[in-house]
Amino acid sequence: MRAAVWLAILALALLGRWRHDDAITAAVVPLALAFLFFASPRTLRGAVAAMALVEAAAWWFGGVAATIDLLPAAIAAFVGWLFARSLLRPRRPLIARAIAAIDGEATLRDAGVVRYARRLTLLWAVFQFALTALCVLCLLGDRGLLSLPCLPSPRLFGTTVLPLAVAALFFGEFFLRPALLPQAPRHTLAGFLAALARVWPQLIER
């Protein structure tokens, strides 16, 4: 059911992009946030509500375009927060939760695996917050509030640069893992993606 709803939201976003209609694309924002709010565990609803407030402020002060352009920053900040909060005791780092869920608790008896999981969780948190900051800089530059000609447009950053950056870190770490963590169990890419999709909801509930 969740997958069907997200696919419908994605289809609406693609329709807006195909027709170059910001109104259709902007309609995705409240729909996605509302569904995310009700589908999320109670512990995450405050963060989703904060995202909604940021998007509402963007719409109030900058209109439909600002709402769309700021959404990637809000999403990156939310993901960064998910990783960062898991580093606070007594929580377990998000990557360590994934390792335990996919490879079993016994894998975390290795101190090297525990250390790697914590460092990778920290890397993902810092990386997502850096993407958030870059997205905001692109938005400020596009509005003429910052003079940095090397920055892409906020729309290009959100639709191309950000997802490519996330994919580069995700797949880069996956293919480098045998060298970085040789004691970790091996997975095919397809098998790892399927396993991660299966356990992801339970990883963020804690």
Side-chain angles (χ1 to χ4, degrees):
M1 178 62 182
R2 288 185 181 184
V5 174
W6 283 121
L7 286 174
I9 291 172
L10 177 61
L12 186 60
L14 291 174
L15 175 64
R17 183 171 174 78
W18 176 63
R19 296 187 59 179
H20 303 287
D21 190 330
D22 280 357
I24 295 176
T25 306
V28 171
V29 177
L31 288 175
L33 290 175
F35 179 70
L36 183 61
F37 180 85
F38 289 109
S40 295
R42 291 184 182 276
T43 53
L44 301 184
R45 289 181 179 177
V48 178
M51 289 174 62
L53 286 175
V54 168
E55 286 298 301
W59 173 81
W60 181 263
F61 292 106
V64 168
T67 305
I68 298 170
D69 292 342
L70 195 60
L71 183 61
I75 294 173
F78 176 69
V79 175
W81 174 79
L82 284 177
F83 281 96
R85 73 190 283 268
S86 73
L87 291 168
L88 301 176
R89 299 186 186 280
R91 292 188 173 96
R92 172 182 279 183
L94 193 56
I95 299 299
R97 296 179 199 170
I99 290 172
I102 295 173
D103 298 324
E105 287 285 346
T107 310
L108 293 175
R109 293 174 188 163
D110 187 314
V113 174
V114 173
R115 188 164 52 249
Y116 182 87
R118 185 169 188 83
R119 289 174 178 174
L120 185 57
T121 301
L122 176 61
L123 175 61
W124 270 108
V126 172
F127 188 68
Q128 291 292 335
F129 288 138
L131 289 174
T132 302
L134 282 173
C135 187
V136 172
L137 290 176
C138 291
L139 185 61
L140 293 175
D142 188 65
R143 300 309 191 268
L145 301 174
L146 190 66
S147 181
L148 285 174
C150 59
L151 291 174
S153 69
R155 203 67 57 91
L156 177 63
F157 183 88
T159 59
T160 305
V161 178
L162 187 148
L164 285 178
V166 171
L169 178 55
F170 181 88
F171 291 110
E173 187 277 329
F174 176 82
F175 289 115
L176 288 174
R177 193 180 307 157
L180 298 173
L181 196 67
Q183 65 268 48
R186 299 289 185 267
H187 298 279
T188 64
L189 179 58
F192 178 71
L193 291 174
L196 185 61
R198 185 179 67 252
V199 303
W200 179 255
Q202 72 190 59
L203 300 182
I204 63 173
E205 287 179 358
R206 305 171 191 174

